[in-house]
């Protein structure tokens, strides 16, 4: 019969920033000899803060771990950092060693052309080093905590308005919310918000419900931006309500 050989888990899904339970999935992978990969492309940057590290419980079972510093760690696109437990397995899979590529320093340092399909690679580590050097651990921690706090403040505004609901709790820098209305109404709301060009909100679907995703991303975001964004949401809700009233009057 068939049996799993590779399991991909996610810490911070794109749709709603959900977290897989590595401490439950990991032992199963170990028992079956399956490769456990962890995709923490967005939320991985948050683990620089100790208070978020419980979400990493079970990571010791992982064979590979990936995160994107360009998403939440102030590094310009693109930059993806990947760790593997046993790099020899990667090298054995991608090794390309014809005569014209041999050199006298082989084996002295990691030769990353054996780690992936293309022979060449960009020097992405330099810009990551500059960011880490510029901000330091405490600076990066402050950046993450500030954005999480701003997202919580936006969530507080949503919670105070009975017309809205949050299908999932706000997590990290992401708030998922929607009007207590049909998917079509929420889709219209999202479209109208983006059409004005003041703010940009991306949608998703959770349990067949259309949701709006408010994400704090820029290092320049401050509380006044949160207030402005929420006011824009309210303005567009009011606009939709007025259009609906006019249409109702015409029908009458």
């Amino acid at each position: 019969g068939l049996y799993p050989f590779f399991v991909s888990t996610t810490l911070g899904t794109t749709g709603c920033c959900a977290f897989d339970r590595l401490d439950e999935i990991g032992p199963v992978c170990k028992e079956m000899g399956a490769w456990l990969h962890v995709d923490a492309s967005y939320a991985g940057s948050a683990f620089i803060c100790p208070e978020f590290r419980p979400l990493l419980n079970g990571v010791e079972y992982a064979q590979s771990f990936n995160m994107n510093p360009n998403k939440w760690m102030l590094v310009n696109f693109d930059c993806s950092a990947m760790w593997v437990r046993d790099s020899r397995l990667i090298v054995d899979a991608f090794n390309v060693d014809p005569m014209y590529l041999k050199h006298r320093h082989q084996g002295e340092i990691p030769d990353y052309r054996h780690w992936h399909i293309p022979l060449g690679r960009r020097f992405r580590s330099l810009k990551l080093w500059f960011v880490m050097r510029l901000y330091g651990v405490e600076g990066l921690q402050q950046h993450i905590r500030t954005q999480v706090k701003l997202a919580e403040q936006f969530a507080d505004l949503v919670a105070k308005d009975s017309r809205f609901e949050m299908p999932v709790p706000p997590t990290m820098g992401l708030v998922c919310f929607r009007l207590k209305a049909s998917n079509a109404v929420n889709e219209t709301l999202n479209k109208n918000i983006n059409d004005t060009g003041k703010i940009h909100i991306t949608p998703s679907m959770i349990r067949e419900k259309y949701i709006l995703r408010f994400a704090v991303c820029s290092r320049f975001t401050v509380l006044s931006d949160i207030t402005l964004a929420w006011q824009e949401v309210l303005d567009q809700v009011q606009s939709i309500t007025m259009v609906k009233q006019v249409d109702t009057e015409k029908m009458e």
Side-chain angles (χ1 to χ4, degrees):
L2 301 176
Y3 63 92
F5 66 92
F6 178 85
V7 177
S8 182
T9 56
T10 306
L11 297 180
T13 59
T14 302
C16 61
C17 203
F19 289 78
D20 286 327
R21 290 290 303 268
L22 301 183
D23 55 343
E24 295 180 358
I25 300 173
V28 177
C29 291
K30 182 178 180 180
E31 180 182 349
M32 302 196 69
W35 182 292
L36 176 61
H37 174 69
V38 178
D39 177 0
S41 55
Y42 164 68
S45 298
F47 298 134
I48 196 171
C49 300
E51 61 266 32
F52 297 123
R53 290 177 194 162
L55 293 167
L56 277 171
N57 288 347
V59 73
E60 64 272 13
Y61 293 101
Q63 299 297 321
S64 55
F65 185 100
N66 183 79
M67 54 91 70
N68 299 144
N70 64 272
K71 289 189 174 179
W72 207 14
M73 203 172 171
L74 302 171
V75 180
N76 291 340
F77 180 83
D78 62 341
C79 184
S80 180
M82 182 171 176
W83 169 87
V84 291
R85 182 178 298 277
D86 187 355
S87 62
R88 294 174 300 176
L89 298 175
I90 301 294
V91 172
D92 290 345
F94 292 107
N95 183 61
V96 177
D97 205 22
M99 181 66 68
Y100 51 80
L101 291 178
K102 293 182 180 295
H103 54 85
R104 62 189 180 88
H105 297 292
Q106 286 188 192
E108 296 179 9
I109 59 173
D111 199 337
Y112 290 108
R113 65 187 169 92
H114 298 315
W115 287 50
H116 52 114
I117 295 175
L119 291 177
R121 60 189 294 120
R122 294 168 60 187
F123 190 16
R124 297 177 176 89
S125 57
L126 182 60
K127 58 185 177 183
L128 175 58
W129 181 87
F130 272 122
V131 169
M132 297 173 70
R133 179 73 172 177
L134 177 63
Y135 285 89
V137 173
E138 293 183 359
L140 291 172
Q141 289 175 333
Q142 180 181 0
H143 162 69
I144 296 295
R145 288 167 178 154
T146 297
Q147 299 217 325
V148 170
K149 181 63 176 178
L150 290 170
E152 290 173 350
Q153 291 170 324
F154 184 87
D156 288 341
L157 294 172
V158 176
K160 291 176 182 177
D161 194 318
S162 61
R163 296 172 296 176
F164 291 87
E165 63 179 348
M166 289 180 283
V168 294
T171 307
M172 301 293 180
L174 180 68
V175 181
C176 298
F177 69 104
R178 69 190 305 272
L179 277 170
K180 294 177 181 177
S182 67
N183 285 347
V185 170
N186 281 280
E187 187 171 0
T188 299
L189 174 59
N190 190 86
K191 180 180 183 301
N192 290 354
I193 289 172
N194 291 339
D195 285 348
T196 62
K198 292 183 179 180
I199 63 173
H200 184 78
I201 290 182
T202 57
S204 186
M205 293 286 288
I206 297 180
R207 305 183 189 98
E208 299 183 356
K209 286 186 176 182
Y210 188 99
I211 64 167
L212 285 70
R213 300 170 61 259
F214 181 83
V216 181
C217 300
S218 172
R219 68 185 179 93
F220 298 110
T221 303
V222 294
L223 182 57
S224 59
D225 296 314
I226 301 301
T227 304
L228 180 148
W230 179 241
Q231 187 58 52
E232 179 61 21
V233 172
L234 296 180
D235 290 346
Q236 294 308 319
V237 170
Q238 179 65 21
S239 176
I240 292 175
T241 303
M242 292 177 63
V243 170
K244 186 176 181 180
Q245 289 175 347
V246 170
D247 290 342
T248 301
E249 291 174 359
K250 287 181 179 179
M251 292 177 64
E252 294 175 351

